[in-house]
Amino acid sequence: MLSIIILIVLLSSFILTGWFQNYSRQSNLLDHPNHRSSHSQPTPRAGGVIFVSIFLIGLTISIQQQWIIMPNIVFNRLLIAAILISGIGLLDDYYSIATQWRFLIQCIAVMISISSFSNLPLISIANHLLDLGLFSYLLYSFASLWLINLYNFMDGIDGLAATEAILVSITMAVLFLFKSQIELSLILGLLTASISGFWLWNWSPAKIFMGDIGSGFLGFMFAILILISAINDPIYFYNWLILLSPFIVDSSLTLIQRIFAKEVWYQAHANHSYQIYSRYLMQKYAQSVELNLARSLAHRQVNYLLIIIHLFWLLPLVILLNYYPQLDLILLIIAIIPLIIIDFWIKQIKCVK
């Protein structure tokens, strides 16, 4: 029965995303290219409204049917927070809401969601647990806000944010299944299915973008799922960090570099490593093929690189972590060091503007 529900979610996401991109074109609800854009053709935006809605409906049904057990007060607060994050993202997609108002709504949503937990995860370092007390609320609030925004920062080329979400979600779903955490596995199964239906339209050349509503929601959902799973076992915190490390490293280093360069760090830009590398590849491909095809090939190549990193670098480390949890911090450091090196190498590419 549960597998049928996930299949229905996948097909619904695919069909409704196709309908929404046609509706958006007919209504001229398009993202027009500018000097920061990685696309060259007007493209429907805010496609995330479909997979967000389908996921929340699927989650609500699963809770009502008691396939997922969650206290009503917890679910209601998380649902309100998710709607706030998605709502401000949707408004920003179409009306460009000022940064301070977006951040204010995000803060309110994070406070609502974190207030639903009676306790927060302990910090695990080499099998030693640290209780940060009240400071943990500040730490997890900041981390949640950062994850919401960094996911938005990383949604800049075709397919990348959706590909990362699918890779992370399906890996953690399988891990929770092996750990007999069936409810968490089901939540991630629903999330994977809802995103996958959209991803088929978002793959390069993208026919629709997820927009801030989609990227902000994904960052929020990962933040909440990290908290829920780490409350059960703090080691899950490291599983999530390792899998999300490509996005965390690129966003964090880029932000630090922009701050040191005295740039307006919260303004939109195209200086992330994945954007620089995509432009570099596009220039290479453009020497032998038409420009739009070169752009599409470049976007695909960056996605392929992300998939390779997950399958052949991060996934083995996650497997190793679950056999040797005492190596938690060491394995996280091992995971991110090559990504830092790659980031600095890409940032040295001077020919791409």
Side-chain angles (χ1 to χ4, degrees):
M1 182 62 184
L2 296 180
S3 59
I4 294 175
I5 295 296
I6 290 176
L7 179 60
I8 291 173
V9 167
L10 173 62
L11 292 176
S12 299
S13 178
F14 177 74
I15 293 169
L16 290 176
T17 301
W19 166 82
F20 186 75
Q21 69 98 11
N22 285 328
Y23 168 79
S24 296
R25 289 188 185 280
Q26 293 169 6
S27 305
N28 198 33
L29 300 174
L30 305 174
D31 188 339
H32 294 274
N34 56 42
H35 66 282
R36 299 186 314 271
S37 300
S38 296
H39 62 289
S40 59
Q41 302 294 326
T43 305
R45 67 179 79 180
V49 69
I50 300 299
F51 70 73
V52 169
S53 301
I54 289 174
F55 170 76
L56 291 177
I57 292 170
L59 181 62
T60 302
I61 293 172
S62 298
I63 290 174
Q64 289 178 343
Q65 295 297 317
Q66 296 189 333
W67 299 327
I68 298 171
I69 306 300
M70 184 181 295
N72 285 335
I73 187 171
V74 174
F75 176 67
N76 290 338
R77 289 183 184 181
L78 294 180
L79 183 60
I80 290 171
I83 291 172
L84 285 174
I85 292 291
S86 304
I88 194 64
L90 183 61
L91 288 173
D92 190 48
D93 284 330
Y94 290 125
Y95 302 108
S96 297
I97 305 300
T99 302
Q100 61 268 29
W101 292 113
R102 294 202 312 269
F103 187 69
L104 175 62
I105 297 299
Q106 290 171 359
C107 288
I108 293 172
V110 166
M111 286 189 291
I112 291 172
S113 59
I114 288 186
S115 71
S116 64
F117 298 99
S118 57
N119 61 295
L120 293 179
L122 302 176
I123 302 295
S124 172
I125 301 177
N127 272 357
H128 296 288
L129 298 179
L130 302 177
D131 185 353
L132 301 180
L134 292 177
F135 180 73
S136 62
Y137 285 89
L138 180 61
L139 175 64
Y140 287 117
S141 296
F142 174 80
S144 297
L145 286 168
W146 177 228
L147 194 51
I148 291 167
N149 285 282
L150 79 81
Y151 219 93
N152 176 254
F153 297 158
M154 295 297 290
D155 180 31
I157 65 171
D158 297 352
L160 190 69
T163 298
E164 171 76 351
I166 292 170
L167 289 168
V168 173
S169 296
I170 199 168
T171 302
M172 292 303 297
V174 172
L175 175 61
F176 288 135
L177 192 60
F178 275 107
K179 297 284 188 177
S180 298
Q181 301 279 340
I182 305 301
E183 295 178 1
L184 283 171
S185 184
L186 174 57
I187 293 173
L188 283 160
L190 292 171
L191 188 60
T192 302
S194 62
I195 300 166
S196 296
F198 165 83
W199 176 83
L200 294 169
W201 295 98
N202 184 236
W203 184 254
S204 186
K207 296 177 178 62
I208 191 169
F209 300 144
M210 70 169 62
D212 287 359
I213 179 175
S215 58
F217 175 79
L218 289 175
F220 171 76
M221 277 307 304
F222 286 140
I224 294 304
L225 288 168
I226 289 171
L227 289 179
I228 292 175
S229 58
I231 287 172
N232 295 332
D233 186 348
I235 199 64
Y236 288 135
F237 188 72
Y238 288 91
N239 287 287
W240 287 103
L241 286 182
I242 288 173
L243 293 172
L244 288 166
S245 59
F247 275 29
I248 293 172
V249 168
D250 192 348
S251 285
S252 299
L253 290 182
T254 301
L255 177 63
I256 292 170
Q257 290 165 353
R258 285 175 62 79
I259 290 174
F260 274 101
K262 297 183 179 179
E263 299 176 10
V264 183
W265 57 268
Y266 52 83
Q267 286 187 349
H269 61 90
N271 296 323
H272 285 279
S273 291
Y274 74 91
Q275 293 168 317
I276 295 172
Y277 191 53
S278 175
R279 293 196 297 270
Y280 170 75
L281 290 173
M282 183 182 69
Q283 287 187 352
K284 291 289 187 181
Y285 286 126
Q287 296 175 8
S288 55
V289 300
E290 184 265 335
L291 185 60
N292 284 332
L293 177 57
R295 181 178 288 104
S296 178
L297 292 172
H299 288 198
R300 293 182 190 181
Q301 195 68 32
V302 175
N303 277 277
Y304 292 146
L305 177 60
L306 178 65
I307 294 170
I308 290 170
I309 289 172
H310 267 270
L311 293 180
F312 298 103
W313 181 242
L314 303 180
L315 180 58
L317 290 174
V318 165
I319 294 172
L320 195 61
L321 173 62
N322 286 274
Y323 280 102
Y324 302 99
Q326 68 274 18
L327 299 178
D328 46 20
L329 185 58
I330 293 174
L331 291 175
L332 176 60
I333 293 171
I334 291 173
I336 66 175
I337 285 177
L339 300 178
I340 293 173
I341 294 172
I342 291 172
D343 185 271
F344 277 105
W345 174 75
I346 292 175
K347 294 282 175 58
Q348 302 306 310
I349 299 176
K350 300 295 185 182
C351 62
V352 179
K353 299 293 183 184

